[in-house]
Amino acid sequence: MDVEQGNKEIAISQKWPCLGQFFAKVKSAFIGFLKKIKKIAMDDPRRMIHAIKVGLTLTLVSTLYYVTPLFDGFGESSMWAVLTVVVVMEYTAGGTLCKGLNRAFATVIAGSLGVGAHHIAALCGQKGEAILLALFVFLLAASATFSRFIPEVKARYDYGVTIFILTFSLVAVSSYRVNELVRMAHQRVSTIAIGVATCLCTSLFVFPVWAGEDLHKMVASNLDKLASFLEGIETECFGEKANFESLEGKPFLQVYKSVLNSKATEDSLCNFAKWEPCHGNFSFRHPWKQYQNVGGLIRQCAASMDALSSYLTSFSKTKPKFKADAELQLEIQSACREMSSESANALRELSLAIRSMTVPSLARCHVSAATSAAANLRTVLSNDITVWETVHVAMIASLLAELVNCIKEIACSVDELAELAQFKSTDSVHSAAVKPVLEEETPQQVAIDISS
């Protein structure tokens, strides 16, 4: 039987070779798709949890439609609860709070104004009512749409303004034909409120994903990426086995590039974090705006690294030969090595300070050392007339000195963040005085007086 089956498959493949290739491609694409899904789930298991939470929330609000007593109370408006869950449920708790509260308040305000507009327009008779309702829709829709161009409104209330326009238009326009307008508005507001409340409870109390915590970790991670680049510069360019000719394709030259495109994610997380309640080490008035300031400086530093990386890559391709003063080149390389090492250590300390929410006291020492090395290098570059013999090293040194200035600004910004967020101080003991006891007492012991 197995031989016959195999012969049949061979015959089919010989008779229809294109069909066999098609099924092989489909199988390969399906396996690749499954591997991609597995990788996405393994990279961040919270994504799978979020998908389950959305399904759970939709199932809960669907009972308004399935259970007869509930359906009799809300009628066809029960579907608005399902629709609300679909459009409001976000990955982070802050995102759900932002869209949920925007939708709830916008619906209540717009619904109330729509009912009020109906009662005012009804005073003008049947013909005047249509004209006045159209005027109200035009004025409020135009005003609300223009308000979306205001940066503060656009950042935090854009979704709410959109829902306001939609709800007011629906209520005002439908009021011309619907008799029981108040009852209809009450049912829709109630079902939307139920949908929003269900979303908020699920997001806040069932394995919540905090946007503020993700922003906090993201800024620290970006600092680590910059440090990895500088550590690669120190090892590959100025270490004992440095070789400029084999730099192309090195991983450290690519590690910082994801930082350049992090602004949109940071801004989104910062906006959502402002909506979140107290959680973990983050208070309600946590200085999330300062994370954006730190992130902006980090991207400036990454841009400088991009310039340095481009120069190193082009230099490794051209492979120029210089008759350089060995002593001068060694002096410049030593200063560059120190700048790279101290700057990388400073970034590591800043990242650690943010993660542990402690004052970055050690980072200041590394920044000072890097600044001192950069100042010494500027002296060498400005005083030595033979520096043009090592122009390639001098160019790298100049770009590194610019990086040191960027890192200094980052350190100052992190210090400001530590002050605003009240990070813990690592100096638990301020002073300690050791005093020997009197000889007539116990000579083998000492008394230690600690004063903070």
Side-chain angles (χ1 to χ4, degrees):
M1 291 296 292
D2 293 340
V3 175
E4 292 179 0
Q5 183 69 22
N7 292 335
K8 289 181 179 179
E9 291 179 357
I10 294 173
I12 292 174
S13 63
Q14 290 176 348
K15 192 173 182 180
W16 295 295
C18 295
L19 186 62
Q21 293 176 2
F22 171 76
F23 282 118
K25 289 182 179 179
V26 171
K27 180 181 178 181
S28 177
F30 182 71
I31 293 174
F33 179 70
L34 292 179
K35 289 181 178 179
K36 186 176 182 180
I37 291 177
K38 181 180 178 181
K39 183 179 182 301
I40 292 174
M42 294 295 291
D43 288 344
D44 191 351
R46 298 180 302 174
R47 295 168 179 167
M48 185 66 69
I49 296 175
H50 173 68
I52 295 173
K53 286 162 61 176
V54 173
L56 174 64
T57 309
L58 280 171
T59 303
L60 289 174
V61 298
S62 298
T63 57
L64 294 176
Y65 208 84
Y66 298 147
V67 179
T68 303
L70 295 177
F71 180 80
D72 292 339
F74 295 106
E76 294 293 336
S77 297
S78 301
M79 293 303 298
W80 284 90
V82 178
L83 178 63
T84 298
V85 172
V86 173
V87 299
V88 165
M89 197 74 175
E90 289 288 331
Y91 178 64
T92 62
T96 304
L97 273 167
C98 175
K99 296 189 74 173
L101 295 179
N102 267 280
R103 184 174 180 84
F105 284 108
T107 301
V108 171
I109 295 173
S112 302
L113 290 177
V115 173
H118 164 69
H119 286 297
I120 294 174
L123 299 176
C124 300
Q126 188 173 3
K127 293 183 179 180
E129 181 181 4
I131 298 174
L132 201 55
L133 285 174
L135 180 61
F136 283 148
V137 170
F138 170 76
L139 291 176
L140 266 74
S143 301
T145 301
F146 183 79
S147 70
R148 297 177 66 187
F149 294 103
I150 302 173
E152 292 79 9
V153 175
K154 181 73 175 177
R156 302 194 66 181
Y157 309 109
D158 186 67
Y159 179 72
V161 174
T162 303
I163 295 300
F164 174 86
I165 297 172
L166 173 64
T167 304
F168 179 81
S169 301
L170 287 176
V171 173
V173 173
S174 62
S175 67
Y176 188 72
R177 300 292 182 183
V178 176
N179 295 325
E180 298 181 355
L181 178 64
V182 176
R183 182 172 179 270
M184 181 196 72
H186 177 265
Q187 287 179 342
R188 289 191 180 181
V189 169
S190 300
T191 52
I192 288 173
I194 291 173
V196 170
T198 308
C199 289
L200 294 183
C201 290
T202 307
S203 293
L204 293 175
F205 302 115
V206 181
F207 300 104
V209 177
W210 303 109
E213 185 175 340
D214 283 358
L215 175 62
H216 185 82
K217 293 178 179 178
M218 182 180 181
V219 172
S221 176
N222 287 344
L223 287 171
D224 283 330
K225 292 176 183 178
L226 302 190
S228 297
F229 174 83
L230 290 171
E231 289 168 351
I233 291 289
E234 178 194 1
T235 304
E236 301 291 340
C237 299
F238 305 109
E240 295 180 358
K241 299 181 180 180
N243 185 3
F244 281 96
E245 297 181 0
S246 60
L247 290 179
E248 188 176 4
K250 291 288 184 179
F252 79 92
L253 293 176
Q254 308 295 326
V255 70
Y256 66 89
K257 290 195 173 181
S258 61
V259 178
L260 294 170
N261 302 317
S262 62
K263 177 175 172 55
T265 306
E266 280 185 6
D267 290 347
S268 177
L269 289 175
C270 181
N271 180 37
F272 292 154
K274 294 175 181 178
W275 290 88
E276 293 177 346
C278 303
H279 58 279
N281 295 322
F282 307 106
S283 62
F284 182 71
R285 304 296 297 178
H286 196 75
W288 300 116
K289 182 67 176 177
Q290 187 61 24
Y291 284 89
Q292 286 184 298
N293 297 335
V294 175
L297 294 173
I298 290 175
R299 283 188 292 276
Q300 289 181 19
C301 188
S304 299
M305 288 181 177
D306 194 44
L308 177 57
S309 175
S310 300
Y311 183 82
L312 290 172
T313 304
S314 62
F315 173 74
S316 64
K317 291 179 180 179
T318 55
K319 302 177 183 178
K321 301 293 184 181
F322 293 94
K323 295 181 180 179
D325 183 348
E327 183 179 354
L328 174 62
Q329 185 166 342
L330 183 62
E331 188 175 358
I332 294 177
Q333 287 181 343
S334 177
C336 290
R337 187 187 310 114
E338 185 177 0
M339 281 192 296
S340 302
S341 175
E342 295 295 341
S343 297
N345 290 336
L347 290 171
R348 292 290 186 194
E349 289 294 336
L350 291 173
S351 174
L352 179 61
I354 291 178
R355 291 181 190 276
S356 60
M357 301 190 74
T358 56
V359 177
S361 54
L362 292 178
R364 303 188 192 106
C365 300
H366 295 298
V367 171
S368 298
T371 304
S372 177
N376 294 337
L377 182 61
R378 289 192 190 94
T379 303
V380 172
L381 296 178
S382 60
N383 294 340
D384 202 313
I385 60 174
T386 63
V387 72
W388 297 107
E389 297 178 7
T390 55
V391 65
H392 61 293
V393 180
M395 177 62 73
I396 295 172
S398 178
L399 292 172
L400 274 175
E402 182 180 348
L403 280 178
V404 171
N405 291 331
C406 291
I407 293 169
K408 187 176 180 180
E409 292 181 6
I410 293 174
C412 293
S413 187
V414 173
D415 282 337
E416 186 176 352
L417 172 63
E419 182 180 355
L420 293 173
Q422 298 180 350
F423 283 3
K424 295 176 293 185
S425 176
T426 54
D427 302 328
S428 57
V429 178
H430 298 282
S431 63
V434 180
K435 302 177 182 179
V437 298
L438 298 176
E439 293 184 0
E440 58 269 17
E441 296 179 3
T442 310
Q444 293 82 3
Q445 299 177 351
V446 295
I448 302 177
D449 177 26
I450 300 178
S451 59
S452 58

